[in-house]
């Protein structure tokens, strides 16, 4: 019975997230994300969070009190900035400093970001679940 209630609750949250995304213009942009997080019971993230005191690095989305970051990696199939040499190396430097500062990093493509998949992943990370 508990599993059925959890499934029904999850389906209700997914429906709310889809409605929020539709009201925000179909989910193509970033505007839907904080509201989608709230609808899923995830704390609202901070956009463009600067985590390093000396560098101008920004995180696409962050939960600073939980030291959790989400980066959206665009251009995966089109040789975008994140997949070409200099951009890839710059991202490695940023991500290594993020790890040294004690942060956890989740990465996704724009397609994954617009889908409900990333919301589920964030929920697991914020609940402290691991897949060891």
């Amino acid at each position: 019975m508990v599993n059925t209630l959890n499934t029904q609750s999850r389906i209700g949250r997914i429906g709310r997230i889809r409605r929020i995304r539709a009201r925000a213009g179909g989910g193509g942009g970033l505007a839907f994300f904080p509201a989608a997080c709230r609808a899923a019971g995830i704390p609202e993230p901070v956009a463009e969070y600067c985590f390093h005191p000396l560098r101008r690095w920004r995180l696409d989305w962050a939960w600073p009190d939980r030291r959790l970051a989400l980066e959206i990696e665009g251009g995966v199939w089109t040789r975008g900035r994140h997949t070409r040499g200099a951009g890839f190396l710059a991202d490695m430097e940023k991500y290594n400093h993020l790890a040294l500062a004690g942060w956890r990093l989740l990465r996704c493509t724009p397609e994954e970001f617009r889908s409900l998949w990333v919301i589920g992943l964030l929920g697991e990370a914020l609940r402290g679940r691991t897949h060891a």
Side-chain angles (χ1 to χ4, degrees):
M1 182 69 172
V2 173
N3 288 341
T4 303
L5 291 175
N6 287 341
T7 301
Q8 290 172 344
S9 176
R10 182 176 172 274
I11 290 169
R13 285 193 306 270
I14 289 170
R16 283 194 305 275
I17 293 167
R18 285 187 175 139
R19 286 190 297 277
I20 289 165
R21 190 170 54 197
R23 282 194 301 267
L30 304 176
F32 81 95
F33 191 62
C37 286
R38 283 192 309 275
I42 296 170
E44 191 168 320
V46 177
E48 295 295 318
Y49 182 77
C50 183
F51 74 93
H52 195 278
L54 303 175
R55 302 291 299 262
R56 298 171 93 178
W57 288 318
R58 303 220 181 273
L59 301 168
D60 292 335
W61 298 99
W63 291 260
D65 60 325
R66 302 294 295 273
R67 289 199 176 275
L68 178 65
L70 175 66
E71 286 283 284
I72 304 165
E73 308 288 357
V76 174
W77 305 110
T78 60
R79 292 202 31 83
R81 181 231 174 262
H82 296 289
T83 60
R84 291 192 313 261
F88 182 81
L89 293 175
D91 282 347
M92 282 179 48
E93 180 184 10
K94 173 182 168 180
Y95 298 158
N96 286 337
H97 280 272
L98 188 69
L100 289 173
W103 285 71
R104 294 178 299 154
L105 172 64
L106 299 176
R107 299 168 64 197
C108 67
T109 65
E111 293 78 20
E112 291 168 332
F113 178 75
R114 288 187 296 266
S115 76
L116 301 177
W117 174 83
V118 75
I119 295 288
L121 187 67
L122 287 165
E124 287 186 40
L126 289 166
R127 285 189 300 274
R129 290 194 180 164
T130 61
H131 301 281

